[in-house]
Amino acid sequence: MPPVRPAPMRQPVRHRVRWVASPPPGALPQRREPVAERYAGPPSYPVPPRWGFPNLVWRRSTAVPGTASGEVTAGERLRVITRSLLPVLWTFAALAVVASAAEIWRYVLLVQSRDSALSTSVVSVSDSFVITAGLLTTILSLLPSGLTVWWLLVARHAAADRCGEVPPRRLWHVLVFVLVPVVNLIMVLPVVAELEHAVLRRTRETRPKPSRLVLIWWGVWALNWVLLGLVIVWRFRDGVQALADGVVLVALTDLAAAGLAVVTALLVKRMSGLLAPVAEKRLRLLRVLKVDGAPDPDRRERPASSVR
């Protein structure tokens, strides 16, 4: 019988245990909520602080180095001209109506003189009224005419800059088509129609089609020039009837001039509103937050003794 050997003893299994000690609840000090401090007024310093803003007047940030943002654009110039042109046009229209009323009064006196004698004082007042109103209308007509031509030239550049193109006609072409008599009766319509075409941002491939307002303006423009030519020709005729007809023609010419001023004011207001739809008073002040592609501004190096 073989010998019985005792079974080997098993080694006890040892597990690795990690003891973690955590403080009991309430042992740690609780965080105190910050108490809002009362406002004690603006800060005060025992001596003038060394930091601060530059001693300059604040202005709107429009000038960016290396760009053309500091230049006055055609749209801004157009806005200024429009503010000056509209009151002048309305004033001229009112003055032209007064001059026409003076001519109509003179014609009524001429009709009455056929049957009865007129008072010397009434005739003197009528003559003074006609001469004063006629001279003021003639002299003042130069101001709205010049401002309107200036507005037309600036509006062409503003519309071209808005579309990113060049004006369709040269400057001297526009001046000839607008200022030369007889030529301006027909050629002023394409100039204004092209301006409206550019203001509405229509492509150059499409033919300019004038709106009803532009056609009305051109009709009153042509009527005004035709009546003015008839008045100049009628001055060379003699006779009482020619004098009476001349008074009627002058009255009609003044009314046509007033109508032309009114329609021009409406046309200028409409196109200026399309080119610059927002008035400066309604614009909010803007800030330049980021500039891409602009060169670094020239700055002096900070001295070594500077704290900041």
Side-chain angles (χ1 to χ4, degrees), residues 20 62 123 213 279 292:
V20 179
T62 55
V123 175
L213 180 59
D292 295 331

Side-chain angles (χ1 to χ4, degrees), residues 149 152-153 156 168-192 194 217-218 221 225:
V149 174
L152 177 63
L153 300 179
R156 291 175 65 252
R169 298 181 186 272
R170 295 184 179 180
L171 178 60
W172 69 273
H173 287 173
V174 177
L175 293 178
V176 170
F177 293 160
V178 173
L179 300 179
V180 176
V182 181
V183 178
N184 56 9
L185 290 178
I186 301 176
M187 297 307 300
V188 73
L189 178 59
V191 173
V192 180
E194 290 171 355
W217 177 86
W218 176 65
W221 166 275
W225 278 97

Side-chain angles (χ1 to χ4, degrees), residues 32-294:
R32 296 182 180 180
E33 297 182 357
V35 181
E37 299 179 0
R38 298 181 59 184
Y39 177 71
S44 58
Y45 303 92
V47 294
R50 301 179 61 183
W51 59 269
F53 298 101
N55 189 16
L56 297 174
V57 179
W58 186 90
R59 62 182 183 273
R60 186 177 178 181
S61 301
T62 55
V64 180
T67 63
S69 59
E71 301 177 359
V72 179
T73 61
E76 296 175 353
R77 191 179 294 109
L78 180 69
R79 206 178 279 118
V80 174
I81 298 174
T82 303
R83 287 200 302 263
S84 303
L85 177 58
L86 291 179
V88 173
L89 288 173
W90 289 111
T91 304
F92 175 76
L95 188 59
V97 171
V98 173
S100 177
E103 295 292 342
I104 294 174
W105 186 21
R106 169 178 281 188
Y107 182 77
V108 172
L109 294 179
L110 289 175
V111 173
Q112 292 178 357
S113 65
R114 297 174 59 183
D115 300 329
S116 61
L118 299 177
S119 174
T120 306
S121 59
V122 174
V123 175
S124 300
V125 172
S126 176
D127 292 340
S128 302
F129 193 20
V130 170
I131 293 174
T132 303
L135 287 177
L136 289 177
T137 304
T138 304
I139 295 174
L140 189 60
S141 63
L142 300 176
L143 182 59
S145 301
L147 286 177
T148 303
V149 174
W150 188 18
W151 175 89
L152 177 63
L153 300 179
V154 176
R156 291 175 65 252
H157 287 283
D161 294 344
R162 187 178 180 183
C163 299
E165 300 177 352
V166 295
R169 298 181 186 272
R170 295 184 179 180
L171 178 60
W172 69 273
H173 287 173
V174 177
L175 293 178
V176 170
F177 293 160
V178 173
L179 300 179
V180 176
V182 181
V183 178
N184 56 9
L185 290 178
I186 301 176
M187 297 307 300
V188 73
L189 178 59
V191 173
V192 180
E194 290 171 355
L195 174 61
E196 185 186 33
H197 189 84
V199 168
L200 296 177
R201 291 189 176 183
R202 295 174 180 171
T203 60
R204 288 195 172 186
E205 288 74 14
T206 59
R207 186 176 182 180
K209 185 179 180 180
S211 62
R212 182 179 302 178
L213 180 59
V214 174
L215 292 176
I216 294 174
W217 177 86
W218 176 65
V220 179
W221 166 275
L223 177 63
N224 185 51
W225 278 97
V226 170
L227 290 175
L228 183 60
L230 287 176
V231 169
I232 295 174
V233 173
W234 218 264
R235 296 293 185 182
F236 295 98
R237 299 188 62 181
D238 298 329
V240 180
Q241 188 61 40
L243 178 62
D245 295 340
V247 173
V248 175
L249 286 176
V250 172
L252 294 177
T253 304
D254 291 336
L255 287 178
L260 179 61
V262 171
V263 180
T264 303
L266 296 178
L267 186 64
V268 167
K269 184 178 180 180
R270 176 175 178 266
M271 291 192 180
S272 299
L274 292 174
L275 289 174
V278 182
E280 291 183 352
K281 295 181 179 179
R282 297 182 180 180
L283 291 176
R284 299 180 60 184
L285 297 178
L286 305 178
R287 295 181 301 166
V288 178
L289 300 180
K290 184 179 180 182
V291 178
D292 295 331

